[in-house]
Structure formats: structure tokens, C-alpha cells
Amino acid sequence: MSDTAITLHKFDAFLSFRGIDTRRNFISFLYKELTRRNIRTFKDDNELERGRRISPELIRAIEESKFAVVVVSENYAASPWCLQELVKIMDFENKGSITVMPIFYGVDPCHVRRQIGLVDEQFKKHEAREDHEKVLSWRQALTNLASISGDCSWKWEDDSKMVDAIADKISKKLMIDTTRSNGSDLEGIDAHMKALHRLLDLNSKKTVRVIGIWARGGKGRSALAKFVYQNICQHFESHCFLESVKRISQDCHMSQCHEEFILRNQGERLRNLRLKNQKVLLVADDVNKLEQLDALAEDFNCFSPGSVVIITTQDRQIRARYVVLYSL
């Protein structure tokens, strides 16, 4: 069974960067964190040779992404490949089909915007060997990029904190868009998320907690479940989102709920490990029978203390059995 897409785009994030500066450090950390949070991320591992054009596949990947994270590093503007890619990104940004997030890594955004210092030297080399109109389009794209508010590496103590902040920002924006596209803006969601964090006490080492969320509307309920999952999953060693548990148990035997959870979490190898000694988050959307919980509960005793199980339901009997955090 395929996962429900968060957006209509093929990718949530497209990473644009200069490989020699950031591929083996910052970009590798950022890509790992984004994929860990189930943010579908495109990272091209090929450098374009001089004189080659960007492939139609790469242009399509940009077009099919919701966010473009452009990491401007010391040698970014020295690369015709990066600048060609940036022109395409800013074209789509101008059309409103992609949201651009600049990251200034070890460079001053003012120098990038005004194209002075090292950036100016790099462009002078381009002008000596490239078509004038092409270089002019590169300059304009870089100016437009640097005019967008972005993150600067020198404002952060270390890369890990900046990576977390970038991933948080993308996660929240994706979830806001998801709730709106599902026909529910979830009025007051910020207040309810604060209430959820207090109830969860994510630093707790207490036993496994099961929390129920009761909601009338199907679309609003699913959007809320996804929103909650994306906003807290990074606090757990293992995490899983099971959409439409009702459909899983209708299409298959009730034990399929348990099997689906094991496979969705981290793959076949967990059949033997059974999630022992792991702090686990399980969000199960649209539970409509107590038997479904019983099937999932086979794993609960294996979770380490501090694990959390969140269910969403429209069933009043199940509602009466668990804590009610939110009602739609």
C-alpha cells in the first residue's frame, strides 16, 4: 500500500548547492535529516561539465518540487552549473510554482546581493569566457535570490542546529499547506500544538502513553494527524504514520495493522528486533474498532519508556476509552 502524498508535487524539497563546498558536510547532514522526517528531497549527485546544458530531467525535478533550498557557499557563484540551475529555480519562483529558501553558508548575503568581493571576481572570470547575456541572467538570478530573506550560517552555533531549524521550517510549511488543501485550516492549531507538547512531555521517561484524538470530519482529522506527526516525529528514535487504519483492516486481516506498522517503520529487519529499547512514535489515523488497537498493541510492550501512540477516531466508544486532546 503506497503512502499518501503530502503534496501534489513529486518532491517536497530540491537542494541546490556547490558540491566541492558542502556535499560531504552540510548537504549530507541536511539531506539525511529531511529524508528522516519523510520530506521527499531531490539531491543531484552529478556535477555538470563545462559547456553542458542542464538536463530536462533536472529541470523537471525543479518544477516538481515545492521548495528549493539554495545553499550559497564560497564557490557557488564560480560554478556555471549552479548559476544555470539557479536561473531555472528563480524562473519557477517568479511564476509562483516553487518557494525558494536561501541558505548563506560561510558567505555574507550582502556581498552576494551586491556581487562584490569574491563574488565579483568569480563573475569577471565568467564574463571573460561566457556569452554576455547569459552572464547577465546569472547575475540577475543571484541578485534576486539574495533579496529573499534566508538563513546565515554565522548566526548558528553549529551546523546541526541550523539543519534542525531548516527541517522544522519546511515541515511546518508543508503541514500548513496540507491542512489548507484538505479543506481545513484547523483554526487555533498553534494553541492545540502547545497543549499537545505539554501533554506529551517529550522528555518523559514514563511508560508508553496512548492518546486519542476525536474528530468528526474525515479530511480535517487526517490533516490534523499528519500535522501532529510531522511536528513531533523528530523527537523519537523510530516513528510511523499509518493512514486510514480502517481501510487497512477492511482490505486485509485484522493482524495486517500490526504487519503494516512493522514494515512502514523501518523495514523487514524489525520483524526480529521488534523495536525493543526504542523510543517510538506511532500515529494511527481513522481507527474505528477496538480490535484494531488490540492488533497494534502487540508491539506496545516492546516500546521503550517515553514512547507515544496517538490515534484519531470518529468512534465515540473509542473516544471514551482514551484521553481526548482535540475535537473537530
Side-chain angles (χ1 to χ4, degrees):
M1 182 166 55
S2 61
D3 289 336
T4 300
I6 294 177
T7 71
L8 295 178
H9 296 76
K10 184 176 181 179
F11 301 104
D12 296 317
F14 178 96
L15 300 183
S16 177
F17 58 95
R18 183 71 198 273
I20 60 173
D21 291 342
T22 59
R23 185 187 304 279
R24 300 184 65 179
N25 42 66
F26 179 73
I27 287 297
S28 66
F29 302 146
L30 178 59
Y31 180 77
K32 182 178 180 180
E33 180 62 17
L34 292 175
T35 53
R36 189 183 75 82
R37 298 195 190 198
N38 296 319
I39 297 173
R40 298 164 301 165
T41 306
F42 181 92
K43 177 173 70 74
D44 186 27
D45 289 318
N46 299 311
E47 291 283 359
L48 191 69
E49 295 178 10
R50 183 172 298 281
R52 292 275 304 279
R53 293 186 177 183
I54 295 179
S55 68
E57 292 76 18
L58 190 63
I59 296 174
R60 193 177 305 117
I62 298 171
E63 185 178 14
E64 294 177 345
S65 297
K66 189 165 186 61
F67 294 94
V69 181
V70 183
V71 182
V72 183
S73 55
E74 184 179 29
N75 294 292
Y76 186 88
S79 168
W81 157 262
C82 291
L83 294 172
Q84 288 181 56
E85 189 174 85
L86 181 61
V87 168
K88 296 298 182 182
I89 290 171
M90 298 310 294
D91 282 346
F92 288 120
E93 192 272 342
N94 189 51
K95 295 175 184 177
S97 62
I98 195 169
T99 299
V100 176
M101 298 176 61
I103 308 297
F104 301 99
Y105 191 81
V107 297
D108 189 329
C110 181
H111 289 186
V112 177
R113 184 173 60 254
R114 295 169 58 190
Q115 294 172 15
I116 60 177
L118 181 60
V119 180
D120 181 52
E121 294 175 15
Q122 291 165 341
F123 269 105
K124 284 179 179 177
K125 292 180 181 179
H126 292 317
E127 289 168 341
R129 58 196 176 202
E130 300 284 357
D131 176 75
H132 173 72
E133 292 299 321
K134 180 187 291 185
V135 176
L136 195 61
S137 70
W138 294 351
R139 282 188 178 274
Q140 188 61 56
L142 196 61
T143 298
N144 292 343
L145 173 74
S147 298
I148 301 172
S149 177
D151 281 301
C152 301
S153 60
W154 56 267
K155 291 183 178 180
W156 296 92
E157 294 179 16
D158 56 55
D159 284 358
S160 65
K161 290 184 173 60
M162 183 165 64
V163 163
D164 285 342
I166 295 167
D168 284 343
K169 190 180 299 183
I170 293 175
S171 292
K172 289 175 182 178
K173 287 184 177 181
L174 286 172
M175 288 305 100
I176 289 171
D177 289 345
T178 298
T179 57
R180 287 175 178 166
S181 66
N182 283 333
S184 172
D185 288 335
L186 295 180
E187 184 177 352
I189 188 63
D190 288 341
H192 290 290
M193 285 304 297
K194 289 180 181 178
L196 173 62
H197 278 280
R198 287 195 297 270
L199 183 63
L200 290 176
D201 186 12
L202 295 171
N203 294 319
S204 171
K205 294 184 179 180
K206 297 179 181 178
T207 186
V208 178
R209 284 157 294 166
V210 180
I211 298 171
I213 300 177
W214 184 74
R216 295 185 184 89
K219 288 184 177 180
R221 184 209 64 247
S222 294
L224 173 65
K226 186 78 78 170
F227 188 95
V228 170
Y229 173 76
Q230 287 283 350
N231 275 272
I232 66 174
C233 65
Q234 66 270 23
H235 296 282
F236 296 84
E237 295 171 286
S238 295
H239 47 81
C240 177
F241 182 86
L242 281 180
E243 76 273 10
S244 192
V245 172
K246 177 172 66 176
R247 189 173 69 242
I248 295 173
S249 60
Q250 284 176 343
D251 294 345
C252 311
H253 189 271
M254 194 68 71
S255 64
Q256 183 67 19
C257 290
H258 159 72
E259 297 297 325
E260 191 74 15
F261 166 59
I262 294 295
L263 291 174
R264 290 270 190 106
N265 199 288
Q266 288 180 5
E268 284 282 351
R269 68 185 184 86
L270 286 181
R271 287 183 178 275
N272 295 324
L273 294 179
R274 309 291 294 179
L275 298 169
K276 287 184 178 179
N277 301 318
Q278 291 196 35
K279 185 178 178 182
V280 178
L281 169 67
L282 167 60
V283 178
D285 179 40
D286 200 12
V287 175
N288 71 330
K289 293 180 181 179
L290 291 174
E291 291 88 345
Q292 293 161 352
L293 285 179
D294 292 338
L296 290 170
E298 183 178 340
D299 295 288
F300 293 176
N301 291 333
C302 298
F303 298 170
S304 73
S307 296
V308 174
V309 177
I310 298 176
I311 64 167
T312 68
T313 183
Q314 298 179 67
D315 188 282
R316 293 179 182 274
Q317 184 180 13
I318 296 176
R319 176 193 182 190
R321 183 166 168 177
Y322 296 100
V323 176
V324 176
L325 172 68
Y326 189 88
S327 294
L328 286 177

